[in-house]
Amino acid sequence: MAFPRLAGVILHPTSLPGGHGVGDLGRSAREFADFLHKAGIGIWQVLPLGPTGAANSPYQTTSSYAGNPLLISLDNLVELELLEPQDLYNAPQNGKYADFDHARDFKEHALRKALDRFQDARGSAELAREFELFCKLYDGEWLDNFALFMAIKDFYKGTPWYEWKDLEARRHTPEGVEKYHKILSHEVRYHKFCQFLFFRQWMDLKRYLANKNITLMGDVPIYCAHDSADIWGEPEFFMLDEDGRAEFQAGVPPDYFSATGQLWGNPLYNWKTLADDGYRWWVRRVKATLAMVDMLRIDHFRGFQAYWAVDKGEETAIKGRWVEGPGQALFDVFKRELGDTLPILAEDLGVITPAVDRLRLDNGLPGMKVLHFAFSDGAEAYLPHTYESNTVCYVATHDNDTTLGWYNAEGPDYEHMDRGGLEAERDKARRYLGRDGSGMPWDLMRLAFGSVANTAMVLMQDILFLDNSCRMNRPGLGENQWRWRLLPDQLRDAPWGGVRELVYLFGREPDKPAKETIHDVRTQ
């Protein structure tokens, strides 16, 4: 479907100010929504919302369905009388970077205390009924499998499921499921309770956004993390050996971000088994995400046409090969089950072939254009004068540097790059913009907002003129990523008036309620 002519901002909830060591779904999320509304922004784009592992990447979650307990607002639990104000004393400090480790420990202790009070009947009867209904609705779909997975994983001190000592648990046998449900019943209930709180807060926030005509764009990673409830619960849909190890690894060949490619390590899909099952696994996954957001971006869309397969044991993605994916057959099922007008953005960056373009165009999906890529040799397709209207133009994505960082090209990210080539890019940008570069990043924002692309997206960091110390992610690096956060005064002093001027100057105001502009598959 063609997206509406709107402007959007990319900010993951972990980057919000406030909270207890990491951003959450509480008051600061509503304050951010108020900023978007004042600025005339019609789309808030978030990254995947699932529980994250050791590296804190939202693209390596333990479930495609569950929410991240780190995002639960503890202040809201005080309002519900599940916590006392003193329970929040000595919380991790809030600063420029998320403190994931301390926040995880602190929040788990608080959430377990909240469950104890809830079970001691100190929670309201209405809340108890909500919880039981939540479990009834989702146990058979994903909740029970996820909660049991997390309980067993905790029992084994965080060990990946394919290394669990108990073969019955590792292989997800009916006997193993029954056994661990009995042994770990309290832990299973704890993880269900956390999901209940997350979804309760998330849906409250979603309603708040809808009342301000702000559409939510979510994100679906094409692959699942190996150590996830998805793969543990339904291993037949993945290319695994008899011990549960990945036979092949996902990734991409050398590209703009990495000279050795990106080796993600995720197991590849067994597309034949998925096809034999009518692709129901994928339909469930997309439906579940669209119940949480209004529109979604599918990460690494080109993997549906052909994917990069790397043998196990390889340490980089260089030695891989392209393998044909499901192609149109999968999207025929999507359209039959979800409707012809799919509210999906295809992330079509990287090595794109005519076959990938055909798959996107045949299904009416907008693609992505990134202005940071537009000024290098051979990148004319990223320049706005070449766009079709059914396009989403990004100044930069979460994987890019901030625009100030990109333009100044200073620091370790640029040490291996040719300085002459970098300066030639910047020179072309200045000539294309007709500016001297002193107005970055707003010059690129103006270019994006003024383009023919139906949707224009910008990083919150660029609205705030932030440098590359505020970059969200550096692809290929596993440590100290995803940590940047807004400071309270930055949000309070953000130049909403300047953003609003660009929005209205270029006809991107959200003049219709979000619920009318985005197709809701839940009604199908």
Side-chain angles (χ1 to χ4, degrees), residues 503-523:
V503 166
Y504 280 83
L505 185 62
F506 294 114
R508 295 188 179 277
E509 61 272 24
D511 57 357
K512 295 180 181 179
K515 63 183 179 181
E516 293 181 10
T517 62
I518 299 298
H519 177 64
D520 188 346
V521 299
R522 290 168 290 165
T523 64

Side-chain angles (χ1 to χ4, degrees), residues 130-143:
E130 284 185 38
F131 176 55
E132 295 308 318
L133 177 60
F134 176 79
C135 293
K136 184 177 181 180
L137 285 173
Y138 296 112
D139 265 351
E141 294 188 11
W142 62 269
L143 180 62

Side-chain angles (χ1 to χ4, degrees), residues 433-455:
L433 291 162
R435 312 288 253 183
D436 64 5
S438 62
M440 293 292 182
W442 280 57
D443 287 347
L444 281 194
M445 287 172 53
R446 185 183 182 90
L447 184 62
F449 282 36
S451 74
V452 71
N454 283 347
T455 308

